[in-house]
Amino acid sequence: MVSQTTVIDSSQSAVQRLKDMAFLCAGVLCAGMGLKGFLLPNNFIDGGAMGISLLLEITTGVELALLVILVNIPFIWMGYRQISAGFAVRTIIAIGLLAFCLVVVPYPVVTTDKLLISVFGGFFLGAGIGLAIRGGGVLDGTEVLAIWISRRSALTVGDVIMVINILVFGAAATLLNVETALYAMLTYLSASKTVDFLIHGIEEYTAVIIISDMHQAIRTMITEEMGRGVTVFKGEKGYGKRGHSQQDTNILYAVVTRLELTRLKERINRIDEKAFIVNHGIDDTKGGMVKGRPLH
């Protein structure tokens, strides 16, 4: 007899797969709009694997749909080895759908203004990449390569992506012209900011560290008035305005959204104007009272 828990888990898994496919399809349609509605008709390029594909399409005349698949094959293999088979399968589906979309869907050419092409072409392409990542796959495989290289060198993922794009834009300046390369940089910036927004959202998480003699009142305010969780670290004061001190103190650590940060600081100020506050952005959270943003 099948247990109720098994049925529920199976149902949730099916719903998650549908959500993944919805994100992937939406991402493909957005990326197709950026490419066929803005970049392709005007011989513009982007960074990453998509930029390499666009550059090859312009210089060789080979169909972009085919180039997108060929350029991303090594990255798909890396994704299979480095991340998971499911990730590789979703990436194959996403890139296959994008190639099909580029051949079949008749997107209108929106504008010939170079600035608008760079900004909005990058926006739609970035939206497509971001939505695909939400669906658990990628449309641009350079991030997989960046992860692979970063694990084998002193370079970070961001460093590797920057180097790849410098090479792409340098090739564009050499093979095409400097103006195209400069517009490609603008397209890449627009796309990357859109990806960041879709992954992290407007309510980007911020970690806040609070050191105050009124820590109990601040803790109560955060938990009861703002409905947020707090972690209390046992600490010892070191050096401050009153000189050296070895007094024990409680250090509060909370995670809020960027939109809540100003309200939190204002309420802390009402309780203790001398409170020491440190805040910094974080990519994501899991567990606790903050609901994380799932990538797939």
Side-chain angles (χ1 to χ4, degrees):
M1 184 176 180
V2 180
S3 67
Q4 185 177 4
T5 302
T6 303
V7 173
I8 293 173
D9 289 343
S10 177
S11 176
Q12 290 176 342
S13 178
V15 170
Q16 185 61 52
R17 284 196 293 269
L18 287 174
K19 286 174 63 179
D20 288 345
M21 283 304 301
F23 276 124
L24 290 176
C25 290
V28 165
L29 291 173
C30 283
M33 182 64 189
L35 290 169
K36 292 190 72 174
F38 292 91
L39 302 181
L40 277 177
N42 299 283
N43 289 333
F44 270 51
I45 68 169
D46 182 33
M50 190 62 69
I52 296 171
S53 302
L54 288 165
L55 187 59
L56 290 173
E57 192 269 343
I58 293 171
T59 54
T60 66
V62 177
E63 184 67 36
L64 180 63
L66 177 61
L67 289 171
V68 166
I69 295 173
L70 293 177
V71 169
N72 278 287
I73 285 175
F75 303 132
I76 294 171
W77 172 249
M78 287 182 184
Y80 170 74
R81 296 295 300 272
Q82 296 293 319
I83 301 176
S84 69
F87 170 83
V89 169
R90 286 188 291 269
T91 298
I92 291 171
I93 292 172
I95 293 174
L97 287 174
L98 178 60
F100 178 79
C101 183
L102 291 174
V103 173
V104 174
V105 180
Y107 289 99
V109 178
V110 179
T111 181
T112 57
D113 183 276
K114 292 183 177 180
L115 182 60
L116 293 178
I117 293 166
S118 296
V119 174
F120 287 97
F123 168 78
F124 279 103
L125 190 55
I129 294 171
L131 289 169
I133 292 173
R134 283 283 190 174
V138 294
L139 292 176
D140 192 306
T142 49
E143 289 192 5
V144 179
L145 174 63
I147 293 171
W148 184 80
I149 294 176
S150 68
R151 290 177 177 176
R152 290 162 174 77
S153 68
L155 297 174
T156 65
V157 172
D159 291 336
V160 178
I161 291 174
M162 181 179 67
V163 170
I164 292 171
N165 286 316
I166 288 174
L167 294 174
V168 172
F169 298 143
T174 303
L175 298 174
L176 303 177
N177 55 68
V178 175
E179 184 183 68
T180 299
L182 293 174
Y183 276 117
M185 294 179 191
L186 187 58
T187 302
Y188 170 72
L189 289 174
S190 176
S192 63
K193 290 298 181 182
T194 305
V195 171
D196 288 342
F197 179 81
L198 281 171
I199 299 254
H200 301 304
I202 191 171
E203 295 195 343
E204 182 179 355
Y205 294 132
T206 301
V208 185
I209 299 172
I210 307 154
I211 302 174
S212 168
D213 292 334
M214 306 290 292
H215 53 80
Q216 186 58 49
I218 295 173
R219 175 183 178 181
T220 302
M221 177 272 294
I222 295 173
T223 56
E224 295 185 3
E225 294 182 27
M226 298 191 66
R228 289 299 184 186
V230 178
T231 299
V232 181
F233 296 105
K234 299 296 181 180
E236 182 179 286
K237 291 185 177 180
Y239 183 84
K241 291 183 177 179
R242 293 188 290 273
H244 292 282
S245 174
Q246 292 184 331
Q247 180 183 353
D248 291 340
T249 186
N250 285 343
I251 302 169
L252 306 180
Y253 181 91
V255 176
V256 298
T257 64
R258 186 170 54 185
L259 299 179
E260 295 172 316
L261 183 59
T262 301
R263 181 158 57 103
L264 174 62
K265 289 184 175 180
E266 288 176 352
R267 294 189 177 188
I268 292 174
N269 190 58
R270 292 177 196 169
I271 297 171
D272 182 8
E273 294 181 353
K274 298 180 180 179
F276 180 69
I277 305 171
V278 178
N279 62 269
H280 57 88
I282 54 178
D283 288 338
D284 209 346
T285 63
K286 180 179 180 181
M289 296 181 68
V290 179
K291 183 179 180 181
R293 294 176 295 269
L295 293 183
H296 54 79

